[in-house]
Amino acid sequence: MSYESILVEQKGAVTLITLNRPQALNALNSQVLADLIKAFAAFEADASQGCAVLTGAGEKAFAAGADIKEMADKPASDFFNEDFFSQWTSHLVKTTRKPWIAAVNGFALGGGCELAMMADFIIASDNAKFGQPEIKLGVAPGMGGSQRLTRAVGKSKAMDMCLTGRMMDAAEAERSGLVSRVVPLADLLADALKTAEAIAAMPPMAAKVNKEMVNAAFETTLDQGLLFERRAFQILTATEDKAEGMKAFVEKRPGVWKGK
Ligand code: CO8
């Protein structure tokens, strides 16, 4: 499979996807979207792949936002008629059932921050900077920033970020719960790949179900979420991997998974 704006490599059971427009700070244009849709579909379909890592080329940016140059002259009717930005969520979030991690190296602004928040979790480098600066362009977040950022860091900080357009550094992002951890830039990729390898080595059905359960917490009441959790747990107990996992524990050996 060939891509114009991203690099895709398989590292064992981990797919590493790199946004590759460093000259534009990996700004997200329609080519990047088309490439990512293809890459995520290939990752999802390939049974040898258990987890993906998304990062940005270069040391400066994960992605500095949607491509402003591409959007600048686009009429409002096109944004509306294309339902601009909707495909990001439908392809990268809704149809990707396998886990994936955003390894944020540098700026994650606007659509870049929103793309990182589509990941199941974010590992950030110590030079990472997050922000929703769209207000400065006369617009507002359009790929989930007002919703996912608010769920991640709460109303006060989300309002602060969206209304001032200021950047949050990696330490503040970790303190606020936006990222799971911060590591030195030099260690970021190795750390993210190691984490992804560990996830890819888990029973695949259990990985998908754990992801679905945590995501359900954002969509349901507590009672409905708890019911979903119990039912999903109960279904997992019928899998061959559950039998193997518990047997392997008792026999003090690693489990060998079938994905069944
Ligand atoms: N889109 C297109 N090109 C970009 C973007 C971007 N989002 N960000 C950076 N670039 C380009 C620059 O234009 C520059 O290109 P060139 O060398 O050809 O001039 C190159 O990347 C390097 O950037 P800078 O020279 O600006 O680098 P600095 O180190 O001086 O600054 C910053 C780094 C602070 C990250 C700065 O580049 C910046 O502020 N970028 C824009 C950040 C931003 O506003 N992001 C939000 C974009 S909007 C969005 O994501 C949601 C949709 C909103 C709809 C808008 C409708 C009009």
Side-chain angles (χ1 to χ4, degrees):
M1 197 134 359
S2 70
Y3 303 97
E4 283 179 38
S5 62
I6 61 173
L7 304 171
V8 180
E9 299 157 76
Q10 288 191 350
K11 295 184 173 289
V14 174
T15 301
L16 173 63
I17 304 172
T18 307
L19 302 167
N20 192 29
R21 301 184 70 215
Q23 72 290 352
L25 302 187
N26 300 319
L28 308 169
N29 62 11
S30 40
Q31 186 61 51
V32 176
L33 173 61
D35 284 345
L36 284 178
I37 288 173
K38 260 200 308 188
F40 273 81
F43 159 63
E44 187 67 15
D46 187 338
S48 74
Q49 299 299 288
C51 189
V53 172
L54 178 66
T55 194
E59 300 198 338
K60 201 168 163 184
F62 172 75
D67 193 313
I68 298 170
K69 292 166 189 166
E70 191 180 70
M71 292 184 296
D73 297 324
K74 205 175 170 69
S77 54
D78 283 6
F79 283 101
F80 181 83
N81 288 323
E82 292 165 17
D83 202 7
F84 203 70
F85 293 140
S86 69
Q87 285 187 301
W88 292 88
T89 287
S90 54
H91 290 273
L92 274 58
V93 182
K94 295 206 167 145
T95 58
T96 302
R97 296 175 70 202
K98 292 178 186 174
W100 62 281
I101 302 169
V104 171
N105 53 310
F107 293 114
L109 302 176
C113 183
E114 294 169 303
L115 174 58
M117 291 190 291
M118 288 179 199
D120 295 309
F121 62 96
I122 301 172
I123 302 176
S125 61
D126 48 10
N127 70 331
K129 286 203 162 43
F130 297 85
Q132 297 294 159
E134 290 94 334
I135 194 168
K136 296 180 183 171
L137 300 169
V139 286
M143 282 164 61
S146 64
Q147 304 304 300
R148 293 197 178 97
L149 185 65
T150 307
R151 282 163 167 79
V153 304
K155 174 183 166 182
S156 194
K157 203 172 277 286
M159 281 286 189
D160 174 4
M161 302 298 295
C162 291
L163 290 174
T164 67
R166 78 173 174 88
M167 294 186 209
M168 191 193 276
D169 67 16
E172 185 180 1
E174 185 177 28
R175 210 164 55 235
S176 312
L178 179 59
V179 310
S180 74
R181 60 178 174 269
V182 177
V183 298
L185 177 61
D187 301 337
L188 177 69
L189 203 52
D191 191 285
L193 288 172
K194 195 170 154 217
T195 306
E197 273 161 31
I199 294 170
M202 296 295 171
M205 287 175 72
K208 285 180 184 159
V209 169
N210 273 271
K211 169 172 169 156
E212 282 173 1
M213 281 182 179
V214 175
N215 282 332
F218 292 101
E219 305 288 349
T220 61
T221 63
L222 181 59
D223 257 359
Q224 287 168 336
L226 291 171
L227 178 62
F228 176 74
E229 181 189 87
R230 283 200 307 281
R231 290 292 175 267
F233 174 91
Q234 290 156 2
I235 287 167
L236 279 179
T237 63
T239 63
E240 291 183 31
D241 283 346
K242 172 262 176 187
E244 163 66 5
M246 297 201 177
K247 190 162 180 273
F249 174 82
V250 173
E251 293 172 359
K252 299 188 189 300
R253 60 169 176 83
V256 181
W257 314 120
K258 291 188 179 161
K260 291 190 198 170

